[in-house]
Structures are given as C-alpha cells and as structure tokens.
Amino acid sequence: SLNSFLFNTIKYRIENFNELVKVLINARTSSTPLHFDIDRDNMCLKYQYEFPEGRHQTVFVSVGQPTNSGAKTLRVWSPCLNLKTFASKYNFELLDGIMKMHSFPDTRCRIGLNENQDQLIVMRDQMVESTGTVELEMIEHVAQFADDFEKRFGNIDQY
C-alpha cells in the first residue's frame, strides 16, 4: 500500500541520515578533523580535498547498498569524468587507461558509472562499523585516484 511504501521510504532515509551523522561526528572529533559540508538533498557528505599544487577534488560520502547479509556500507566517491562533455566516450584508450589504473598495486578503489550514468566516478566501499568512521587516508586515496584520472583524460581540474 501507499502508506507502507511511504513509511519504508522515510525509515530508510532516517537510517541513512543517522549513519551520515555518525560519520560527521567522528570526522570532526578525530585526531585529524575533517570538515564535511552536508548535502541534505542528495543525502551525502561533501569534502573539498586540496592538493599542495593547487588542484582540488570533491569527495562525497554516502550510505551504500547493504551487503547480502544486511550489513550497512559507506561509499566514498569522487567524480572524475563528465561523459556528457567527453568527446570520445567509451574508446579503447579510455578503457585501457581504466584497466591499467585498476591494476596498480596500491589501488584500493575502482572506477564506475554514477547512478545517472553520465559521469565516471572513483569509488571505495566499506562496511559500516559501529563507529561510522571514514579515515582521512580513504578520502585522500579516492581524491588522488580521481585527480590522476582527470589529469590523464582531460588535463583539467573539473571536480
């Protein structure tokens, strides 16, 4: 029924919001504080990572899909290529570059499509522990990987 659907939708949004509040509190009180902006419309946290050479990368934290066993997950992600403006969509050079970047020994994230399928994003998922902690190292890794991809396939600092 419509009431059941609305109830479950509201319950799901509240549970996701609670997970993001945990991340926000832990990020602000950790030994290396992170100051996220809150994007209530998209139910995510937003962080602007600044590189020493003046480049930057926007990194988001959102609640991911639960695992098969029902455990909650967090997704740390950053856009790296706008497919609407990228002239030569899925060409060999792009796919080859993605495959090579995925095979680097220090890669702990992956490249995929966003939900609207109009951007490539770098993402890393982790199961939510009771603390809801997102480490600075995780933010840095996703930001660096996305920025490296931007430099390689566009040489612009778009995100």
Side-chain angles (χ1 to χ4, degrees):
S1 75
L2 181 59
N3 286 342
S4 175
F5 172 76
L6 290 174
F7 174 78
N8 287 331
T9 301
I10 292 169
K11 180 181 172 200
Y12 176 78
R13 288 184 62 87
I14 289 171
E15 288 173 357
N16 286 353
F17 183 75
N18 287 341
E19 291 304 322
L20 293 177
V21 168
K22 285 182 200 173
V23 171
L24 192 62
I25 291 169
N26 289 328
R28 289 185 177 167
T29 59
S30 72
S31 59
T32 310
L34 296 172
H35 299 283
F36 289 100
D37 292 325
I38 302 168
D39 183 344
R40 286 181 176 83
D41 293 336
N42 295 308
M43 290 291 292
C44 64
L45 302 176
K46 180 178 169 182
Y47 183 79
Q48 190 70 21
Y49 188 85
E50 302 291 336
F51 293 99
E53 67 274 9
R55 292 179 65 90
H56 66 281
Q57 196 68 34
T58 305
V59 180
F60 299 91
V61 177
S62 56
V63 176
Q65 295 297 317
T67 65
N68 290 339
S69 64
K72 295 178 183 176
T73 63
L74 292 174
R75 173 166 285 178
V76 177
W77 58 277
S78 181
C80 61
L81 185 67
N82 185 339
L83 294 175
K84 290 179 182 178
T85 59
F86 185 62
S88 50
K89 287 188 180 175
Y90 300 104
N91 65 19
F92 178 78
E93 181 185 358
L94 176 65
L95 295 175
D96 186 56
I98 292 170
M99 295 297 287
K100 285 178 180 171
M101 289 182 82
H102 279 177
S103 64
F104 294 157
D106 62 342
T107 299
R108 295 178 301 278
C109 52
R110 65 191 186 280
I111 297 173
L113 288 169
N114 68 342
E115 288 182 11
N116 296 334
Q117 298 190 357
D118 59 358
Q119 288 180 336
L120 289 183
I121 61 172
V122 172
M123 64 187 116
R124 181 172 173 183
D125 296 319
Q126 77 175 24
M127 287 179 42
V128 174
E129 299 173 14
S130 59
T131 60
T133 301
V134 173
E135 304 289 333
L136 176 61
E137 178 185 349
M138 191 171 174
I139 297 282
E140 288 174 338
H141 184 75
V142 169
Q144 186 65 62
F145 199 86
D147 192 59
D148 289 347
F149 190 87
E150 274 189 342
K151 285 187 231 177
R152 183 172 182 169
F153 293 99
N155 202 23
I156 57 171
D157 192 15
Q158 184 173 0
Y159 301 103

